[in-house]
Amino acid sequence: MRPRAKYLPSDERRAVTVDAVVKLAASQDPGAITTAAIAEHMNLTQGALFRHFPSKAAVWQAVMEWATDRLMGRIERAALGVGSPLAALEAMFLSHAEFAAEHPGIPKIMFGELQRAEVTPAKRIAKALLHRYGQRLREVLEEGKVCGELAGDLDVEAAATLFIGTIQGLVMQSMLAGDVSRIREDAPRVFAIYRRGVRSAS
């Protein structure tokens, strides 16, 4: 008989549930994760789990809210006080890569949600995260153009898309290799190529 999970206040139980989903998604297909598997991982009954979340969709929504808060907070802190827009971009890139390496389940959940035909709360949050992230990148890229550090004719929209797409590519490569540490190893070299493409020639 497995030990019963200790009582936790509602907010703490919700946080522990999100953590459980993130860990489970790191090692398996997020789409195949059931509420029964989440409850078992937490040593709870499904009934106890549903006292904190009315549905599986609500669990996934909480996970995406957590990911948004953590990722955006991390890249904002990384860029804070950095000496130049280009240095800020590098700090954001490496910080995002580190986040993906620490929480490989999050990119898998995001990819899964964005591929859904139906609109779910989690999918809306994932799309909002990409929009917010892209807007922040465009701000930094515009700053770089104004100060002359980045090319004056730089297509900011395309550069922001490439930035995010490059990180997504690193994540996919690490998944194919079955080695999330590759993200950390490859990110600095990959950003060096991105940097050469956006910086001013002068």
Side-chain angles (χ1 to χ4, degrees), residues 38-93:
I38 298 168
E40 181 178 2
H41 183 84
M42 299 171 64
N43 289 333
L44 293 175
T45 64
Q46 284 193 74
L49 181 63
F50 284 128
R51 283 200 291 273
H52 302 281
F53 294 94
S55 64
K56 181 180 176 180
V59 176
W60 254 242
Q61 178 179 348
V63 170
M64 287 310 307
E65 289 171 347
W66 179 91
T68 297
D69 290 344
R70 296 304 187 283
L71 177 57
M72 291 306 300
R74 180 172 291 203
I75 65 171
E76 289 290 359
R77 288 192 298 274
L80 189 64
V82 175
S84 72
L86 190 52
L89 287 170
E90 182 172 14
M92 293 165 72
F93 190 93

Side-chain angles (χ1 to χ4, degrees), residues 141 144-146 148-156 195-202:
L141 289 162
K145 290 178 66 174
V146 170
E149 189 175 33
L150 303 184
D153 61 350
L154 178 68
D155 184 333
V156 168
R195 179 172 53 234
R196 285 199 294 271
V198 299
R199 70 185 177 188
S200 172
S202 58

Side-chain angles (χ1 to χ4, degrees), residues 7-159:
Y7 171 79
L8 292 174
S10 182
D11 287 348
E12 289 186 39
R13 179 63 70 199
R14 288 172 63 86
V16 170
T17 304
V18 167
D19 183 66
V21 173
V22 172
K23 288 178 178 175
L24 287 169
S27 60
Q28 57 187 278
D29 175 9
I33 298 173
T34 63
T35 52
I38 298 168
E40 181 178 2
H41 183 84
M42 299 171 64
N43 289 333
L44 293 175
T45 64
Q46 284 193 74
L49 181 63
F50 284 128
R51 283 200 291 273
H52 302 281
F53 294 94
S55 64
K56 181 180 176 180
V59 176
W60 254 242
Q61 178 179 348
V63 170
M64 287 310 307
E65 289 171 347
W66 179 91
T68 297
D69 290 344
R70 296 304 187 283
L71 177 57
M72 291 306 300
R74 180 172 291 203
I75 65 171
E76 289 290 359
R77 288 192 298 274
L80 189 64
V82 175
S84 72
L86 190 52
L89 287 170
E90 182 172 14
M92 293 165 72
F93 190 93
L94 298 180
S95 180
H96 188 162
E98 182 64 26
F99 179 84
E102 289 176 11
H103 308 289
I106 292 298
K108 293 167 67 177
I109 291 171
M110 276 198 67
F111 289 148
E113 289 301 322
L114 291 170
Q115 291 174 45
R116 287 180 178 273
E118 71 274 22
V119 178
T120 65
K123 181 177 180 178
R124 282 196 294 269
I125 295 169
K127 291 179 69 175
L129 168 58
L130 290 176
H131 176 78
R132 180 179 167 190
Y133 197 159
Q135 180 59 40
R136 185 69 183 100
L137 287 171
R138 288 189 288 273
E139 291 171 0
V140 178
L141 289 162
E142 288 289 1
E143 290 171 6
K145 290 178 66 174
V146 170
C147 74
E149 189 175 33
L150 303 184
D153 61 350
L154 178 68
D155 184 333
V156 168
E157 191 69 35

